[in-house]
Coordinates of all heavy atoms in Angstrom, one line a residue:
G292 N -26.1 24.4 10.6 CA -26.8 25.7 10.2 C -26.6 26.7 11.3 O -26.3 26.5 12.4
S293 N -26.9 28.0 10.8 CA -26.9 29.1 11.8 C -27.7 30.2 11.1 O -28.1 30.1 10.0 CB -25.5 29.6 12.0 OG -24.9 30.0 10.8
K294 N -28.1 31.2 11.9 CA -28.9 32.3 11.4 C -28.2 33.0 10.2 O -27.1 33.3 10.3 CB -29.2 33.3 12.5 CG -30.0 32.7 13.7 CD -30.2 33.8 14.8 CE -30.9 33.3 16.0 NZ -31.0 34.3 17.1
P295 N -29.0 33.2 9.2 CA -28.4 34.0 8.1 C -28.2 35.4 8.5 O -28.8 35.9 9.4 CB -29.4 33.9 6.9 CG -30.7 33.6 7.7 CD -30.4 32.8 8.9
P296 N -27.3 36.2 7.8 CA -27.0 37.5 8.2 C -28.2 38.5 8.1 O -28.3 39.5 8.8 CB -25.9 38.0 7.2 CG -26.0 37.0 6.0 CD -26.5 35.7 6.6
H297 N -29.2 38.1 7.2 CA -30.4 39.0 7.1 C -31.2 39.0 8.4 O -32.0 40.0 8.6 CB -31.3 38.4 6.0 CG -30.6 38.0 4.7 ND1 -29.8 36.9 4.7 CD2 -30.5 38.6 3.5 CE1 -29.3 36.8 3.5 NE2 -29.7 37.8 2.7
L298 N -31.1 38.0 9.2 CA -31.9 37.9 10.4 C -31.1 38.3 11.7 O -31.6 38.2 12.8 CB -32.4 36.5 10.6 CG -33.3 35.9 9.4 CD1 -33.8 34.5 9.7 CD2 -34.5 36.9 9.2
L299 N -29.9 38.8 11.5 CA -29.1 39.2 12.6 C -29.2 40.7 12.8 O -29.5 41.5 11.9 CB -27.6 38.8 12.4 CG -27.3 37.3 12.3 CD1 -25.8 37.2 11.9 CD2 -27.6 36.6 13.6
S300 N -28.9 41.2 14.0 CA -28.9 42.6 14.3 C -27.6 43.2 13.7 O -26.7 42.4 13.4 CB -28.9 42.8 15.8 OG -27.6 42.4 16.4
P301 N -27.6 44.5 13.3 CA -26.4 45.0 12.7 C -25.1 44.8 13.6 O -24.1 44.6 13.0 CB -26.7 46.5 12.7 CG -28.2 46.6 12.6 CD -28.7 45.4 13.4
A302 N -25.3 44.7 14.9 CA -24.1 44.5 15.8 C -23.6 43.1 15.6 O -22.4 42.8 15.6 CB -24.4 44.8 17.2
D303 N -24.6 42.1 15.5 CA -24.2 40.7 15.5 C -23.6 40.3 14.1 O -22.8 39.4 14.1 CB -25.4 39.8 15.8 CG -25.8 39.8 17.2 OD1 -24.9 40.2 18.1 OD2 -26.9 39.5 17.6
V304 N -23.9 41.1 13.1 CA -23.3 40.8 11.8 C -21.8 40.9 11.8 O -21.1 40.1 11.1 CB -23.9 41.7 10.7 CG1 -23.1 41.6 9.4 CG2 -25.4 41.4 10.5
Q305 N -21.3 41.7 12.6 CA -19.8 42.0 12.7 C -19.1 41.0 13.6 O -17.9 41.0 13.7 CB -19.6 43.4 13.2 CG -20.3 44.5 12.4 CD -19.9 44.5 10.9 OE1 -18.7 44.2 10.6 NE2 -20.8 44.7 10.0
K306 N -19.9 40.1 14.3 CA -19.3 39.2 15.2 C -19.2 37.7 14.7 O -19.9 37.4 13.8 CB -20.1 39.2 16.5 CG -20.2 40.5 17.2 CD -21.1 40.4 18.5 CE -21.3 41.8 19.1 NZ -22.2 41.7 20.3
A307 N -18.3 37.0 15.3 CA -18.2 35.5 14.9 C -19.5 34.9 15.4 O -20.1 35.3 16.4 CB -17.0 34.9 15.6
V308 N -19.9 33.8 14.7 CA -21.1 33.1 15.1 C -21.0 32.5 16.4 O -20.0 31.8 16.7 CB -21.5 32.0 14.0 CG1 -22.7 31.3 14.5 CG2 -21.7 32.6 12.7
K309 N -21.9 32.7 17.3 CA -21.8 32.1 18.7 C -22.1 30.6 18.6 O -22.9 30.1 17.8 CB -22.9 32.8 19.6 CG -22.7 34.2 19.8 CD -23.8 34.8 20.7 CE -23.7 36.3 21.0 NZ -24.8 36.8 21.8
Y310 N -21.4 29.9 19.5 CA -21.5 28.5 19.6 C -23.0 28.1 19.9 O -23.5 27.1 19.3 CB -20.6 28.0 20.6 CG -20.8 26.5 21.1 CD1 -20.8 25.5 20.2 CD2 -21.1 26.3 22.5 CE1 -21.0 24.2 20.7 CE2 -21.3 25.0 22.9 CZ -21.3 24.0 22.0 OH -21.5 22.7 22.4
S311 N -23.6 28.9 20.7 CA -25.0 28.7 21.1 C -26.0 28.8 19.9 O -27.2 28.4 20.0 CB -25.4 29.6 22.3 OG -25.3 31.0 21.9
D312 N -25.6 29.5 18.9 CA -26.4 29.7 17.7 C -26.3 28.6 16.6 O -26.9 28.7 15.6 CB -26.2 31.1 17.1 CG -26.7 32.2 18.0 OD1 -27.6 32.0 18.8 OD2 -26.1 33.3 17.9

Side-chain angles (χ1 to χ4, degrees):
S293 61
K294 295 178 185 176
H297 316 72
L298 302 180
L299 297 175
S300 68
D303 285 341
V304 169
Q305 305 301 320
K306 300 176 183 178
V308 178
K309 295 179 182 178
Y310 166 60
S311 58
D312 289 336

